[in-house]
Amino acid sequence: MSKTRTPAIDGWFKDGPNPALIGTQCTSCHSIFFPPERTFCRNPACMNDEFSDKELSRSGKLWSYTTNNYQPPAPFVSPKEEYEPFAVAAVELADEKMIVLGQVPAHIPVEQLEAGMEMELVVDTLFEDDDNEYVVWKWRPV
Amino acid sequence: MAMDEVAVLGAGMHPWGKWGRNFVEYGVKAARDALNDAGVDWKDVGFVAGGETIRNGYPGFVSGASIASALGFNGAHVGSSYGACASGCQAISMARAQILSGMTDVALVVGADTTPKGFFAPTGGNRTDDPDWLRFRLLGATNPVYFGLYARRRMELYGDTVEDFANVKVKNSQCGAQNPNARYPKAFNIDDVFASPMVSDPLRLLQICATSDGGAALVLTSMEYARKHATDPVRIKGVSTVTPQYPNTNIEMPDFAGDSAFAVAQPGVSYRDSIALRAYEQAGLGPEEMSMAEVYDLSSALELDWVEAIGLCQPGEAAKLLREGDLSLGGRIPVNPSGGLGAFGEAIPAQAIAQVCELVWQIRGEARGRQVENAKAGVTANMGLFGHGSSVVVSA
Ligand SMILES: [Zn+2]
């Protein structure tokens, strides 16, 4: 029986053929938020509390990157029995003028990363249990 | 306009280490040392400010009253503050405000911690509304991941090298080896650093701050009270606990993203740069008047970010200062003469207090083996999770 593909968190990204991060935009001052802000606008000059969802740019430039050579502690769950080190990328989205973190798929070694390179969003396995394959957004070189 | 001053009559510490005992014990030892150093009777203390521990520290989220109780309750007012790595500065700020408002003449500031081994991890449970929990779950973003991102950014933006970062560790460990309160008495060389395992590229194990047990305390008083007890006390001239200004576009621990500057332009002064600036303004002093600085080297590379943020040089120039020996003992402006976090590890609620203890001892000329020549004034800087600024300006 195949496992159910389940977002590791609800409402933060869109899966499927054109995956995207889901941010929100204040309907008054147009500030953009990721993770999605759905309660009160965080622009100190804005008292609005209404937002529309906004899909963020699917690609951006690699601002910086690093690695997790050791397995992070819980609540991180290793997708494999034997921990496989992976890189973490900070990607600058030009239109939104913001930097967003994401894992880099473990099969892409850190040596392939270079600051300034173009990165694109993918949705990939975070970990699995008996019934579900939990997925999350990641960044990979274009 | 410069703020009124408060006096530091006493400073005390319990050595940093992995002692595995109750945090209260470290706090009381530090407090008693500070009271002895000040020549102030515990009964005269009107306010106790505790920097809180939340990790393994009995009884959990409480600190100020736990330490007051262990000292023997004297009926003093109490305040306990949690601001992550900035908890100690919050406690100093609270005590100073009590004194400057005339609520009390004498305040005892105490921070102490007992820490677990290994990576910092968030509290357990399925807490999907807590960004600190989520960053571990969704990103595996440990603290060293953020340090690694900042370090790599410096390499790309300014041309800093892995040797520069390693040399920060080497420099600080030489001071730490002379500090009886430091946890690591070893003076490392650059080969030691490069032989240690990679944790978060480009940072290796010896370049990343460990967690430690320890305690630090200060006795703060009004200037009027101080004049009756000491000839020329060290003074606290400025205390900054600022939050960021929206939008803070940098990626701050434990966030998933920096603020977007789409609708509102980023402020002229970055958050990290604003922290010491606000303390300098209160002090009526600037970076050029500092003899030394104690900054948060959570990673060796991060020290260089702080050197720039506290105004010792322009952005991108810190590595040049390091290479020219300006940041070393005997250099133009020694940074982390205590040995810094690299030599101590972090005892979270005590660390910002310990930074001030070091400046006090330096200004008094009591920092044997690591004394900054002609130490007249100094600045501390650090930042607590979620936007807790921490900076103190101290002078003779
Ligand atoms: Zn708004």
Side-chain angles (χ1 to χ4, degrees):
Chain A
M1 204 183 95
S2 70
K3 297 183 180 185
T4 311
R5 193 172 160 98
T6 309
I9 186 152
D10 287 327
W12 285 28
F13 63 93
K14 185 184 80 170
D15 201 357
N18 290 303
L21 293 170
I22 300 171
T24 53
Q25 187 162 31
C26 173
T27 56
S28 173
C29 76
H30 309 295
S31 284
I32 296 171
F33 299 98
F34 182 83
E37 179 62 68
R38 295 189 169 100
T39 49
F40 302 101
C41 182
R42 291 196 286 109
N43 172 358
C46 178
M47 295 299 284
N48 189 34
D49 57 6
E50 284 177 17
F51 300 87
S52 52
D53 280 5
K54 180 181 171 64
E55 287 185 13
L56 305 187
S57 302
R58 297 193 51 235
S59 64
K61 284 200 162 32
L62 186 57
W63 183 83
S64 191
Y65 58 94
T66 185
T67 55
N68 254 324
N69 289 38
Y70 291 88
Q71 179 168 343
F76 177 84
V77 182
S78 175
K80 293 190 175 162
E81 196 116 338
E82 193 176 341
Y83 174 70
E84 201 179 350
F86 62 93
V88 175
V91 173
E92 191 165 18
L93 307 181
D95 289 349
E96 292 82 0
K97 296 187 178 169
M98 73 191 302
I99 301 164
V100 181
L101 297 182
Q103 290 189 21
V104 176
H107 64 86
I108 299 170
V110 66
E111 290 75 22
Q112 284 184 19
L113 301 179
E114 200 179 312
M117 75 195 302
E118 194 75 5
M119 302 287 280
E120 67 179 357
L121 195 88
V122 290
V123 172
D124 189 27
T125 309
L126 182 64
F127 66 95
E128 299 178 29
D129 61 18
D130 291 344
D131 306 316
N132 299 285
E133 178 200 6
Y134 294 97
V135 293
V136 75
W137 80 91
K138 295 185 183 181
W139 294 112
R140 73 168 177 213
V142 172
Chain B
M1 203 186 93
M3 291 273 299
D4 288 340
E5 306 162 339
V6 298
V8 187
L9 282 200
M13 282 170 68
H14 181 290
W16 265 225
K18 214 72 177 174
W19 312 112
R21 300 198 301 270
N22 187 318
F23 77 92
V24 174
E25 192 179 324
Y26 317 137
V28 170
K29 196 269 181 193
R32 287 190 165 175
D33 283 2
L35 288 164
N36 280 335
D37 184 37
V40 167
D41 195 303
W42 160 235
K43 289 197 296 291
D44 290 348
V45 172
F47 186 79
V48 179
E52 292 196 15
T53 175
I54 58 162
R55 275 175 204 288
N56 294 7
Y58 170 85
F61 288 84
V62 184
S63 66
S66 308
I67 286 160
S69 166
L71 284 163
F73 275 138
N74 70 352
H77 291 269
V78 67
S80 297
S81 49
Y82 187 72
C85 301
S87 300
C89 188
Q90 299 265 314
I92 292 169
S93 172
M94 189 163 47
R96 172 196 187 227
Q98 291 275 327
I99 293 166
L100 290 182
S101 66
M103 297 281 285
T104 189
D105 269 329
V106 185
L108 175 67
V109 181
V110 192
D113 206 3
T114 300
T115 51
K117 272 196 155 90
F119 281 123
F120 273 131
T123 351
N126 195 41
R127 297 182 303 108
T128 53
D129 60 344
D130 176 3
D132 197 37
W133 189 91
L134 283 171
R135 63 150 163 155
F136 282 88
R137 179 68 147 209
L138 302 181
L139 293 175
T142 58
N143 293 0
V145 158
Y146 292 85
F147 311 151
L149 290 170
Y150 303 150
R152 173 64 60 184
R153 182 69 183 164
R154 288 195 66 84
M155 294 171 75
E156 301 296 341
L157 205 57
Y158 303 137
D160 288 13
T161 66
V162 289
E163 284 79 14
D164 291 330
F165 302 154
N167 279 324
V168 171
K169 173 69 180 186
V170 171
K171 168 181 77 73
N172 291 350
S173 74
Q174 284 165 354
C175 287
Q178 301 298 322
N179 190 339
N181 286 315
R183 174 174 168 193
Y184 302 104
K186 184 172 157 62
F188 291 100
N189 63 37
I190 198 163
D191 296 331
D192 297 326
V193 178
F194 285 127
S196 72
M198 189 69 86
V199 175
S200 284
D201 186 34
L203 298 172
R204 294 172 181 275
L205 188 61
L206 278 181
Q207 295 171 288
I208 290 167
C209 173
T211 61
S212 290
D213 299 358
L218 295 165
V219 175
L220 306 185
T221 75
S222 65
M223 289 308 295
E224 195 186 342
Y225 182 97
R227 273 188 274 273
K228 292 178 208 151
H229 285 77
T231 44
D232 197 13
V234 174
R235 297 128 202 261
I236 287 182
K237 311 267 288 185
V239 179
S240 161
T241 58
V242 287
T243 51
Q245 275 191 287
Y246 180 85
N248 179 10
T249 54
N250 192 30
I251 292 262
E252 306 287 6
M253 200 160 73
D255 296 340
F256 284 85
D259 287 338
S260 158
F262 176 80
V264 181
Q266 46 182 308
V269 178
S270 77
Y271 179 45
R272 203 190 296 280
D273 291 356
S274 73
I275 293 173
L277 187 62
R278 297 286 102 83
Y280 287 138
E281 285 168 359
Q282 292 174 16
L285 296 171
E288 60 288 346
E289 282 147 306
M290 297 297 114
S291 325
M292 67 211 145
E294 285 281 319
V295 301
Y296 245 47
D297 53 325
L298 288 167
S299 86
S300 57
L302 191 66
E303 176 172 308
L304 300 177
D305 285 329
W306 278 118
V307 164
E308 293 158 9
I310 64 174
L312 302 186
C313 62
Q314 294 298 310
E317 291 179 355
K320 182 165 169 281
L321 260 59
L322 176 80
R323 290 172 205 149
E324 291 173 357
D326 287 0
L327 308 180
S328 304
L329 216 53
R332 183 170 70 81
I333 170 100
V335 171
N336 285 332
S338 71
L341 298 185
F344 274 77
E346 188 185 13
I348 299 175
Q351 209 70 41
I353 300 168
Q355 289 182 313
V356 176
C357 289
E358 177 68 12
L359 296 186
V360 170
W361 289 325
Q362 290 284 355
I363 291 169
R364 290 180 183 167
E366 296 172 359
R368 203 190 315 164
R370 57 181 198 285
Q371 181 63 48
V372 174
E373 269 177 60
N374 204 20
K376 291 271 189 286
V379 60
T380 73
N382 109 62
M383 195 195 285
L385 228 57
F386 297 113
H388 289 94
S390 164
S391 176
V392 180
V393 172
V394 178
S395 85

